[in-house]
Amino acid sequence: MINKRTNLMETLFHSCNLIFFLLIAFACTYPFYYILIYTISDPVKAAGGLLLLPKGLNFVNYEKLLQMNTLYSTVLISVLRTVIGTLITVACCTFFSYIVTKPELYFRKFIYRFVVITLYFNAGLIPWYLTMRYLHLDNNFLLYVLPSAISGFYIVLIKTYIEQLPAALEESAMIDGAGYWTVFQNIIVPLSMPIIATIAVFAAVGQWNAWQDNYFLVTKQSLQTLQVMLYNYLNSAAAMANVNPSDFLDKNVSHRLTPESIKMTMTMIVTLPILFVYPFMQRYFVKGIMLGAVKG
Amino acid sequence: MMVVPLLLLVIVFNYVPLFGWVYAFFKYKPGIPLSETPFAGLEYFRLLFGANSDIGNVLKNTLVMSFLNILTSPIPIVFAILLSELRGQKLKKFIQTITTVPYFISWIIVFSLVFSIFSFEGIFNTLLMQFGLIKDPINVLGNPSTAWYVQTAIVIWKSTGWSAIIYFAAIAGLDSQLFDAAKIDGAGRFRCIWHVTLPGLMPTFIVLLLLNVSNMLSNGFDQFFVFYNPMVADKLEVLDYYIYRVAFHGNDYPFATAVGMWKTLISIVLLFTVNKLAKKIRGQSII
């Protein structure tokens, strides 16, 4: 009898658990799905309310938005900053971490501390803003990729990883006459691929999502990123007015866009790259973060 | 040495801004070089604690938001434990992937999603009205009495899946012999969780909790920047946002710098205190 009861309890527990997680999964996906069906619906019909299926399926929102000239330069800037910024960050952080693992380096401990302290010591918004202006990084593409080149957090992660690699490999290469650079290129980098991939995902997502530097320091339209463009759409009616209304208003009434549908379509365009790339990357960083977490 | 250019980057972007703190001691106005601005001494710090400063309310909001976040910090543990009990590797992976997505989107996108669902024309109000539960649409994002909780809920939505990864890793790292032993002693599922899993996760939890405490004054800027609106202004103005508003709307750079400097210094004191505590509890420092 007891066995039967525990079995029942087991089934009950697992069903409740499953339902619980399905609800959570729903909560995490529905907002994205809702926006998606909104943007592929007829804008006017969608304003009346949507739930699970698009109404009057069409892609007029995307068509119209893609006709916008400013969109392309913005996408280009966002993609460029993500690609270049990620490459710079990964290269600098990996190399730096490698160097600080070398006992031959003078003041090794000090240099490492020097970088780690930046994790806790932050000058704040205003000094940052004034320094960037002083360095003439405002309205400059370098603003997007240089300040983020070295990050204390990534260096801690990579250094921990490199330190647990077998030292013998490196030594034998050195005996064979390889220099630091060769060792770094041919041994350290290939062996550190899991952590490098992790850092790359973080850095790329960070770059794609970044907007503060743009918002505070860049006034040039040609250097605008997608995030700030989206923010402007979401927030100011003025930005809406900046877009030539004839771009959006078709003579055909049924194909008219609503402010709501434009906002949502912009949101989708900014979100899609993450939604597409993310699932493929996830397995890398889960491993990487676990390595870091278990040790840290 | 090859390290020099990289070190230079660190100095320029992390240490040089620290010199910007001098602005807190001068009557700086944008456009006028520092050498021509009068020295203010500690005036701005006195202003900060003066009778007519609005820092009181800002500090209250900051601490309430932090407190709510600390209060909800066990949620990822529960999440991780329940997820590890879920049957099927594929399903687990799937749920994990889905629930971490929100962590990777910017606050601007989060705002857009939340707004499209909870605005007057959003799905939330439309549904409630259709079922006749309410007559007039509820203004979720503009209600001062629930603003703190709404923001906390959004943080939970955004970060629970992600925070759970660490606990998930910790659970996987637990000694399976402990579970076997507990089962032999007749422990059921809940007793196993209570006596084996939870104690095993405690060290990780405490470290993260302490880090949270040391970060109490920094709620982050993005979230409050995007969700700020006149109706909930009184409730959502936290330190990070206040600094921004004083500097860029009030054009008062020195005062904003003073607030920021004070914030950083307190945070560092907190960090070291908490670090000492961690050493005592765990015999291991966290920084």
Side-chain angles (χ1 to χ4, degrees):
Chain A
M1 283 310 271
I2 286 172
N3 218 347
K4 226 178 191 171
R5 237 187 69 201
T6 41
N7 267 341
L8 193 70
M9 287 289 282
E10 279 282 285
T11 322
L12 201 65
F13 172 80
H14 281 292
S15 325
C16 287
N17 205 5
L18 185 67
I19 291 168
F20 173 71
F21 275 105
L22 288 181
L23 282 176
I24 288 181
F26 176 76
C28 286
T29 39
Y30 185 72
F32 298 102
Y33 178 73
Y34 176 68
I35 293 223
L36 178 72
I37 56 172
Y38 201 106
T39 55
I40 56 174
S41 294
D42 184 281
V44 180
K45 281 186 194 153
L50 284 173
L51 198 52
L52 287 174
L53 291 170
K55 277 183 193 166
L57 180 74
N58 68 62
F59 296 94
V60 64
N61 285 313
Y62 291 93
E63 274 166 31
K64 294 288 167 188
L65 222 61
L66 291 177
Q67 280 167 17
M68 237 171 77
N69 291 325
T70 46
L71 184 72
Y72 292 99
S73 73
T74 313
V75 169
L76 183 71
I77 289 291
S78 280
V79 170
L80 275 181
R81 91 168 277 179
T82 304
V83 173
I84 300 176
T86 307
L87 285 177
I88 292 183
T89 305
V90 167
C92 289
C93 288
T94 315
F95 191 58
F96 194 98
S97 313
Y98 169 62
I99 293 179
V100 291
T101 57
K102 298 267 105 268
E104 301 91 275
L105 179 69
Y106 297 111
F107 310 117
R108 185 170 72 106
K109 271 245 163 71
F110 172 76
I111 290 175
Y112 183 60
R113 281 276 157 80
F114 193 72
V115 175
V116 172
I117 284 174
T118 63
L119 275 178
Y120 306 103
F121 226 65
N122 196 312
L125 178 66
I126 314 306
W128 167 79
Y129 174 77
L130 294 172
T131 310
M132 294 303 150
R133 301 256 321 238
Y134 178 73
L135 293 170
H136 296 292
L137 283 176
D138 48 331
N139 280 324
N140 187 335
F141 183 75
L142 290 178
L143 170 73
Y144 294 151
V145 294
L146 270 191
S148 56
I150 295 269
S151 145
F153 177 61
Y154 299 158
I155 286 180
V156 172
L157 282 180
I158 306 175
K159 184 186 168 250
T160 322
Y161 190 91
I162 292 182
E163 273 174 347
Q164 53 91 48
L165 294 175
L169 272 174
E170 225 182 297
E171 279 160 20
S172 64
M174 288 279 202
I175 290 167
D176 290 344
Y180 289 117
W181 187 246
T182 326
V183 170
F184 175 70
Q185 250 184 328
N186 296 337
I187 295 178
I188 300 296
V189 171
L191 285 179
S192 309
M193 248 10 211
I195 194 76
I196 290 178
T198 308
I199 302 295
V201 176
F202 282 147
V205 170
Q207 286 284 2
W208 184 259
N209 281 337
W211 58 272
Q212 285 192 16
D213 41 10
N214 181 184
Y215 181 78
F216 286 118
L217 287 156
V218 175
T219 46
K220 261 196 213 160
Q221 173 74 39
S222 61
L223 280 177
Q224 206 185 24
T225 61
L226 270 177
Q227 300 282 345
V228 170
M229 192 184 193
L230 171 64
Y231 180 77
N232 289 339
Y233 270 109
L234 291 177
N235 260 286
S236 59
M240 287 297 305
N242 279 340
V243 180
N244 189 357
S246 62
D247 279 355
F248 287 125
L249 301 179
D250 217 298
K251 279 136 219 137
N252 188 346
V253 184
S254 71
H255 280 185
R256 193 183 307 162
L257 304 196
T258 60
E260 205 51 26
S261 74
I262 299 175
K263 283 184 201 170
M264 292 208 193
T265 313
M266 270 306 291
T267 308
M268 215 55 220
I269 292 179
V270 182
T271 318
L272 275 178
I274 292 186
L275 295 187
F276 272 127
V277 174
Y278 170 79
F280 302 103
M281 294 303 199
Q282 204 238 10
R283 64 199 176 102
Y284 286 110
F285 70 73
V286 167
K287 236 186 239 157
I289 223 31
M290 279 182 178
L291 282 169
V294 171
K295 274 205 207 68
Chain B
M1 275 305 280
M2 294 175 287
V3 75
V4 172
L6 296 175
L7 219 50
L8 223 67
L9 278 178
V10 179
I11 292 171
V12 167
F13 293 115
N14 288 304
Y15 286 90
V16 169
L18 288 178
F19 290 107
W21 279 1
V22 298
Y23 290 105
F25 303 101
F26 287 89
K27 293 194 160 143
Y28 176 77
K29 283 268 178 311
I32 306 166
L34 202 60
S35 52
E36 288 163 32
T37 40
F39 186 69
L42 291 173
E43 195 192 313
Y44 291 106
F45 290 91
R46 241 175 269 135
L47 217 65
L48 179 59
F49 299 105
N52 47 8
S53 115
D54 36 9
I55 198 83
N57 187 41
V58 174
L59 212 53
K60 185 175 133 204
N61 292 335
T62 309
L63 292 177
V64 167
M65 286 310 301
S66 294
F67 178 71
L68 285 173
N69 282 338
I70 289 173
L71 205 69
T72 54
S73 59
I75 292 179
I77 299 192
V78 178
F79 184 93
I81 290 177
L82 288 178
L83 185 62
S84 67
E85 298 284 345
L86 206 61
R87 280 174 183 164
Q89 279 306 315
K90 277 241 169 79
L91 188 66
K92 267 188 208 175
K93 265 256 114 78
F94 177 71
I95 300 270
Q96 212 188 21
T97 307
I98 280 184
T99 51
T100 40
V101 169
Y103 181 80
F104 287 93
I105 57 174
S106 70
W107 274 106
I108 294 179
I109 298 176
V110 173
F111 173 70
S112 180
L113 294 178
V114 172
F115 187 81
S116 64
I117 286 176
F118 290 105
S119 70
F120 283 149
E121 291 92 34
I123 180 82
F124 177 74
N125 275 314
T126 317
L127 265 187
L128 287 186
M129 302 247 277
Q130 265 176 9
F131 285 115
L133 290 171
I134 46 166
K135 282 205 187 76
D136 300 306
I138 308 173
N139 192 354
V140 179
L141 295 176
N143 186 347
S145 58
T146 54
W148 286 335
Y149 311 107
V150 170
Q151 293 306 317
T152 308
I154 295 171
V155 171
I156 292 173
W157 178 78
K158 191 174 190 315
S159 64
T160 296
W162 171 254
S163 318
I165 287 185
I166 275 190
Y167 294 114
F168 207 62
I171 292 174
L174 289 178
D175 193 349
S176 61
Q177 288 185 346
L178 285 174
F179 286 102
D180 297 339
K183 269 183 200 142
I184 289 169
D185 287 347
R189 180 187 311 283
F190 295 102
R191 293 195 142 250
C192 273
I193 291 173
W194 190 252
H195 292 289
V196 183
T197 317
L198 275 182
L201 295 182
M202 262 308 150
T204 316
F205 176 66
I206 287 178
V207 169
L208 294 180
L209 184 72
L210 291 177
L211 280 176
N212 260 339
V213 169
S214 70
N215 261 329
M216 220 144 81
L217 293 182
S218 326
N219 311 88
F221 170 75
D222 295 20
Q223 181 185 7
F224 300 94
F225 178 76
V226 292
F227 281 101
Y228 188 90
N229 65 51
M231 282 169 285
V232 291
D234 271 355
K235 299 285 180 178
L236 288 194
E237 186 156 63
V238 297
L239 268 172
D240 287 319
Y241 187 81
Y242 180 69
I243 292 169
Y244 155 79
R245 200 173 58 94
V246 167
F248 292 96
H249 291 240
N251 243 331
D252 196 347
Y253 286 45
F255 185 60
T257 314
V259 179
M261 193 174 156
W262 175 78
K263 194 196 94 173
T264 308
L265 292 177
I266 300 268
S267 299
I268 286 174
V269 171
L270 274 174
L271 182 71
F272 279 106
T273 320
V274 150
N275 193 43
K276 266 227 171 89
L277 262 174
K279 252 186 198 156
K280 253 195 191 144
I281 298 172
R282 235 183 128 213
Q284 198 183 348
S285 58
I286 50 175
I287 49 173

